[in-house]
Amino acid sequence: MKTRHKTTFFISLLLSMTSLSAHALTPDQMVKKADLYRSPETSYAYLAIVTEFDDATQLRETKYAIAYQPADKIRVETKFPSRSVGRNMLMVGRDMWVQTPDVGRPTRISFQQKLTGEVANGDIARTNFSADYNAQFVSEEKVLSRKTKKLLLKAKSKDVTYAAIYYWIEIGTHKPVKAEFLTSDLKVMKRGFFKRPKKVFNTTLLTELELTDALSSRRSVLTYKDFRKTKFKPSSFNKDALRENEL
């Protein structure tokens, strides 16, 4: 009788472990869930403020009005400082252009190019890691007292923002916690921490990203605010209409 009970127990345990394994997310699925904390799947507009520091000293502030249309269209208009107004950018898929007041036609740019401070063009315009990177599990670690899974993201193509990223995602919630942005030989260029969760459109968004240079005391804080659902005109995502300020 005891042997039968032991056999039944081990069979139940095995079935339970198999069920848990079947429902465990793959690294790529984890990244896709983490993306939802950085950008909701709806058309919306918002304001992004980039504040640059050297240690505790604030250096400058730049403000951008941004329009997002799933899954791969973003328009960025510079609103402050006044000398930069009219410098507008457009991303459609993995193509990106900039329009400046002193140039007649939009110019193609890359995601890797610096926008301001520690912020690259892709940090503002491209938040969809699951589309741009393949993920693999590295380890489980505690970051800021939170249990996380550390993943290594490797670029699917050469035209994305970073060659690779170490990415820490909280176990259970799948919230992104930390990122290290890497060169092709996995050297750290800068670090990012995802902060300030807020309810937006009945979901939770992380409304602050702090980017710190790996070799200096420079850092940039991206703050996102004033979210509103919006339907955009087709011209909003047409590079030939970038000269107009629509947002």
Side-chain angles (χ1 to χ4, degrees):
M1 183 66 71
K2 287 183 179 180
T3 301
R4 184 183 301 172
H5 286 164
K6 285 182 178 180
T7 302
T8 302
F9 170 77
F10 283 118
I11 289 174
S12 298
L13 180 62
L14 181 61
L15 289 172
S16 176
M17 292 174 64
T18 302
S19 176
L20 286 173
S21 176
H23 287 88
L25 296 180
T26 66
D28 286 329
Q29 290 171 331
M30 290 177 62
V31 174
K32 194 164 187 176
K33 280 189 171 289
D35 280 345
L36 296 177
Y37 287 100
R38 301 175 63 220
S39 183
E41 294 182 320
T42 187
S43 293
Y44 67 101
Y46 62 103
L47 181 69
I49 303 172
V50 180
T51 311
E52 299 170 42
F53 297 89
D54 189 350
D55 283 328
T57 303
Q58 182 174 327
L59 302 177
R60 64 184 62 85
E61 183 177 84
T62 313
K63 297 180 181 180
Y64 303 94
I66 300 179
Y68 172 77
Q69 183 169 289
D72 58 0
K73 294 180 180 179
I74 286 185
R75 180 189 181 97
V76 180
E77 296 182 6
T78 309
K79 297 301 183 183
F80 181 85
S82 57
R83 66 179 180 274
S84 298
V85 172
R87 189 182 191 279
N88 300 334
M89 298 187 297
L90 176 68
M91 182 202 77
V92 178
R94 290 184 181 167
D95 294 317
M96 195 170 187
W97 300 268
V98 64
Q99 176 72 65
T100 56
D102 56 335
V103 177
R105 300 181 62 184
T107 303
R108 189 179 289 271
I109 55 175
S110 73
F111 294 127
Q112 298 93 337
Q113 286 175 248
K114 178 178 174 177
L115 176 63
T116 185
E118 306 314 310
V119 181
N121 290 333
D123 292 325
I124 284 279
R126 191 77 180 174
T127 59
N128 191 353
F129 283 174
S130 59
D132 292 345
Y133 301 91
N134 292 314
Q136 62 189 62
F137 175 77
V138 177
S139 62
E140 290 191 6
E141 297 182 5
K142 269 197 172 182
V143 178
L144 303 175
S145 301
R146 297 158 70 182
K147 292 182 179 179
T148 71
K149 288 190 177 182
K150 179 182 178 181
L151 307 179
L152 174 60
L153 311 187
K154 290 189 174 181
K156 294 180 180 180
S157 70
K158 292 182 179 180
D159 56 1
V160 301
T161 313
Y162 302 102
I165 302 170
Y166 281 129
Y167 199 29
W168 286 261
I169 296 176
E170 186 174 36
I171 294 173
T173 67
H174 303 107
K175 287 180 183 175
V177 177
K178 175 184 174 182
E180 290 183 343
F181 303 97
L182 312 172
T183 62
S184 56
D185 55 355
L186 303 186
K187 291 182 179 178
V188 180
M189 296 188 292
K190 60 188 178 186
R191 296 179 174 87
F193 288 90
F194 302 90
K195 303 178 179 181
R196 294 189 183 277
K198 292 185 179 179
K199 281 290 183 183
V200 178
F201 309 142
N202 296 318
T203 189
T204 300
L205 292 185
L206 296 167
T207 62
E208 183 177 293
L209 171 60
E210 183 177 71
L211 295 170
T212 304
D213 183 78
L215 300 177
S216 74
S217 57
R218 295 289 185 103
R219 62 189 175 93
S220 296
V221 178
L222 287 79
T223 305
Y224 312 110
K225 59 188 295 187
D226 299 342
F227 296 89
R228 64 187 190 280
K229 287 188 178 181
T230 309
K231 289 186 177 181
F232 301 106
K233 299 182 295 184
S235 62
S236 297
F237 303 102
N238 184 334
K239 65 182 177 64
D240 296 322
L242 263 181
R243 186 173 289 279
E244 302 299 323
N245 289 321
E246 296 189 2
L247 304 177

